Amino acid sequence: MRRWYSAWRRSRLGTRLALGLGALALVVFAVVGTVTVGIMHGYLGRRLDEQLTKSQVSQVPQLRDVHNAPESAYSWYSAVYDVRDGVATPRQGSRLPADSKPLTRVVEETGAGELLRTVSLRGQGDYRVRTCQVDPGVVLVSAAPQDDLDRTVRQLVMVEVVAFLLALAVLVALGRLVLHRGLRPLSTMAGTAHDIASHDLTANADIPVRATGDGGGAEVQELRTAFNKMLAHIDSSLTARTEANERLRRFVADASHELRTPLTSIRGYSELFRYAAANEPAEREAHLAKIREETARMSVLVDDLLLLARLDARDAEAPVRPERVELADLVNAAADAFRAGRPDHPLTVDFGQSSVTLDADPVRLRQVLDNLLANTAVHTPSGTPVTLAVAVDRDEVVIQVIDAGPGIAPEDREKIFDRFYRVDTSRTRQAGGTGLGLSVVQSLVAAHGGTVGVTSEPGRTAFTVRLPRAS
């Protein structure tokens, strides 16, 4: 049994469904055949009882008048018994079987009415017996064989068995063909899955195949749609992972490059400092100042990298601690610091309202303003006017840093918030910083629940920060 069950589980779904349908049809055929045979057997039995009744009813008047032997219809047995003191004795001329005791017992059990019973005669099979009273003490008995009835029922059983077996074979064969055709879309999807498995997704994350075709009904169409949605989700997830890995690779490479530059400078100035300490004492302070300058730059870079890492780590404590902040104070402080550090860039502050409050981290929001202003000063010529504007748009606070510089090329605007991306590709210190300032701005604004964007054309570049107002 275990081997048969294992073979059943290993068989194809279409075969199992067809065999299951055949088993169900076999049960239905058995029930229908049993009911049909029972109905036919009952019908033929009632017909035989009616024939016995008609035969006796037609003979009773004649037997009362003439007292002759009864007539035997067909191959029936027919006899007249005289019953005295419960003992039945057949009259002369009665047609009785060799073993008449079963008929005699039925006659002796007959009262004033009539009696129908099935008895078994030795060597002749079953007979249907009917008795009725002709006169007091005189009973007519007729016995009809049931061989014809049983033969008819057996033939009906044979016909039904053959017909049902043929119907079952046709049903299983046609059901298997129909199921095979109906399950063909599933086979197609299985082939699609095997096709996907044959592709090397490590080299190329794009999944080029999808489940196609139609037919199979609503359920198969739902499965096909869900299968394609799953493939699209896997495709997008693999693409996102590949892009994330590529960004991580570039990030590590850029971080290594950016850290190598100040480290190389520090190493060089250290050698010069050691040489100057022995030979040129007057130059020691100049070399030491260069070492401090490069160390400060490297510290800023490391601090920015640590800040971005903390902002990216979802399960770590976010470096943003919101509190109720008056925006005017932060804007004026950032403007004063910019004017002091960049006197060659005239700054105008346009504050639309007297009081605007935010739920924000004042230190990080000040860092956003300082980075945007510093980015403007670094990438515009000396004397370029800068505007720091604040406005309220429904439930948002809009902060804009606008300059009248040469603008940003469209291809650069798409990547300007990427980490270590700089508009100038030379990576010289005179052309700009490390390329992390705007990335820090974007991450900090996102941590506050806001957005940042840039629009640019020759003569006007605007960085726009949108933050939710305090409720």
Side-chain angles (χ1 to χ4, degrees):
M1 287 296 295
R2 184 175 301 175
R3 184 170 56 187
W4 282 97
Y5 181 69
S6 300
W8 165 262
R9 294 190 62 181
R10 289 194 303 269
S11 62
R12 298 184 65 85
L13 178 60
T15 302
R16 294 166 63 180
L17 289 175
L19 293 178
L21 181 62
L24 179 61
L26 182 61
V27 173
V28 173
F29 289 163
V31 173
V32 172
T34 302
V35 173
T36 303
V37 170
I39 292 174
M40 181 59 69
H41 189 277
Y43 171 75
L44 294 177
R46 289 192 299 273
R47 288 294 303 273
L48 184 58
D49 291 343
E50 290 175 0
Q51 291 176 358
L52 286 170
T53 301
K54 290 180 180 179
S55 174
Q56 288 188 339
V57 168
S58 63
Q59 294 184 63
V60 167
Q62 182 180 0
L63 293 174
R64 286 176 180 171
D65 296 337
V66 181
H67 302 287
N68 291 333
E71 297 179 358
S72 296
Y74 312 107
S75 58
W76 298 357
Y77 294 112
S78 184
V80 176
Y81 280 80
D82 293 321
V83 182
R84 298 290 184 271
D85 299 327
V87 179
T89 304
R91 291 183 179 178
Q92 293 293 330
S94 299
R95 188 170 182 271
L96 291 171
D99 181 16
S100 61
K101 291 181 179 180
L103 299 181
T104 302
R105 284 195 295 269
V106 174
V107 172
E108 292 174 349
E109 294 175 7
T110 303
E114 57 188 37
L115 182 65
L116 278 170
R117 183 167 298 178
T118 300
V119 300
S120 179
L121 300 181
R122 185 184 304 169
Q124 300 186 52
D126 293 337
Y127 275 72
R128 188 64 171 171
V129 178
R130 186 181 190 275
T131 62
C132 66
Q133 191 177 46
V134 178
D135 288 315
V138 180
V139 176
L140 172 63
V141 61
S142 299
Q146 288 190 320
D147 289 344
D148 293 339
L149 184 149
D150 295 337
R151 189 181 304 109
T152 302
V153 171
R154 285 194 298 270
Q155 290 177 352
L156 176 62
V157 170
M158 291 299 299
V159 170
E160 286 186 345
V161 168
V162 173
F164 287 165
L165 289 177
L166 290 176
L168 183 63
V170 173
L171 178 64
V172 171
L174 292 180
R176 182 68 183 90
L177 292 176
V178 172
L179 290 172
H180 177 72
R181 184 180 181 87
L183 296 176
R184 188 176 300 167
L186 299 182
S187 300
T188 303
M189 281 185 275
T192 303
H194 288 298
D195 193 11
I196 294 172
S198 64
H199 284 78
D200 184 11
L201 299 180
T202 58
N204 184 12
D206 183 30
I207 300 179
V209 294
R210 292 292 186 272
T212 58
D214 52 10
E219 293 81 4
V220 175
Q221 183 61 35
E222 291 177 1
L223 178 60
R224 186 185 295 113
T225 302
F227 187 75
N228 286 334
K229 286 183 178 179
M230 180 190 69
L231 291 180
H233 177 69
I234 294 175
D235 196 356
S236 61
S237 299
L238 290 175
T239 301
R241 188 183 68 176
T242 302
E243 293 176 353
N245 291 336
E246 181 63 23
R247 286 196 300 269
L248 179 61
R249 186 190 65 79
R250 290 199 307 268
F251 182 83
V252 172
D254 291 339
S256 301
H257 179 85
E258 294 293 340
L259 289 173
R260 186 186 301 115
T261 301
L263 287 174
T264 302
S265 299
I266 291 173
R267 186 183 300 112
Y269 285 123
S270 298
E271 294 294 331
L272 291 175
F273 180 81
R274 185 176 61 179
Y275 174 80
N279 301 294
E280 300 290 340
E283 296 183 3
R284 288 184 301 175
E285 290 300 326
H287 296 322
L288 188 59
K290 290 293 185 180
I291 292 175
R292 286 196 295 266
E293 181 182 350
E294 294 298 328
T295 303
R297 288 179 178 177
M298 188 168 64
S299 297
V300 171
L301 174 62
V302 172
D303 289 342
D304 288 342
L305 290 174
L306 290 176
L307 176 61
L308 290 173
R310 292 177 62 190
L311 290 171
D312 289 341
R314 298 180 180 178
D315 53 348
E317 182 182 359
V320 175
R321 296 175 176 85
E323 60 183 64
R324 188 58 54 90
V325 176
E326 181 62 43
L327 186 58
D329 297 338
L330 288 177
V331 170
N332 291 327
D336 293 340
F338 181 78
R339 291 189 183 101
R342 310 280 183 174
D344 55 340
H345 283 77
L347 175 64
T348 302
V349 177
D350 181 8
F351 209 94
Q353 293 189 2
S354 59
S355 177
V356 177
T357 57
L358 295 174
D359 289 329
D361 188 327
V363 176
R364 298 306 181 187
L365 188 55
R366 171 65 186 276
Q367 186 176 0
V368 169
L369 296 175
D370 290 343
N371 283 6
L372 289 176
L373 291 171
N375 179 76
T376 299
V378 169
H379 294 287
T380 58
S382 178
T384 302
V386 180
T387 300
L388 177 57
V390 178
V392 176
D393 183 11
R394 294 191 292 270
D395 294 332
E396 291 182 330
V397 176
V398 181
I399 303 173
Q400 286 188 310
V401 176
I402 306 170
D403 67 72
I408 305 173
E411 60 273 14
D412 293 326
R413 289 200 299 268
E414 297 177 357
K415 303 177 181 179
I416 199 168
F417 293 103
D418 291 350
R419 297 173 186 180
F420 293 110
Y421 182 80
R422 294 190 297 179
V423 174
D424 111 277
T425 58
S426 63
R427 295 185 180 274
T428 59
R429 288 294 171 204
Q430 293 76 11
T434 62
L436 289 177
L438 293 181
S439 298
V440 171
V441 168
Q442 185 183 47
S443 298
L444 287 175
V445 171
H448 282 84
T451 59
V452 60
V454 60
T455 58
S456 181
E457 60 185 20
R460 187 180 189 278
T461 298
F463 286 88
T464 303
V465 176
R466 292 181 175 272
L467 296 171
R469 291 187 66 183
S471 57

